[in-house]
Amino acid sequence: MTFDLNKEIEQLNELKKLRTKKRHKPSKLDKYQYQLRKLYENGNTKADLQLWLAKRGVKVHWTTVKRWIDKNA
């Protein structure tokens, strides 16, 4: 068995691509993105948004709302 450097590099690169592949799972909050943006733009806090979502049966921590707002609003 001989060592083929190019073949080994190619295999390592393929493994790296599989390992670093982004996995996107949609957020529960995406369904309410319009309402969340409007509420936040009108002065509601992120904790207020969490309560608003809780009224609709969406159970999330306020830090989840914070991350979502920071990314999407």
Side-chain angles (χ1 to χ4, degrees), residues 4-44:
D4 184 1
L5 178 63
N6 291 332
K7 185 176 178 181
E8 293 295 328
I9 291 172
E10 184 178 323
Q11 288 176 345
L12 287 172
N13 286 337
E14 289 298 319
L15 286 173
K16 186 168 65 171
K17 283 180 190 176
L18 290 173
R19 190 174 53 201
T20 59
K21 188 175 182 180
K22 295 269 182 183
R23 293 174 183 92
H24 178 69
K25 180 180 175 186
S27 172
K28 294 187 226 181
L29 305 183
D30 289 344
K31 181 178 176 181
Y32 304 99
Q33 63 182 315
Y34 176 77
Q35 295 91 332
L36 290 172
R37 284 184 181 139
K38 289 297 179 186
L39 288 168
Y40 188 68
E41 288 171 3
N42 288 311
N44 289 83

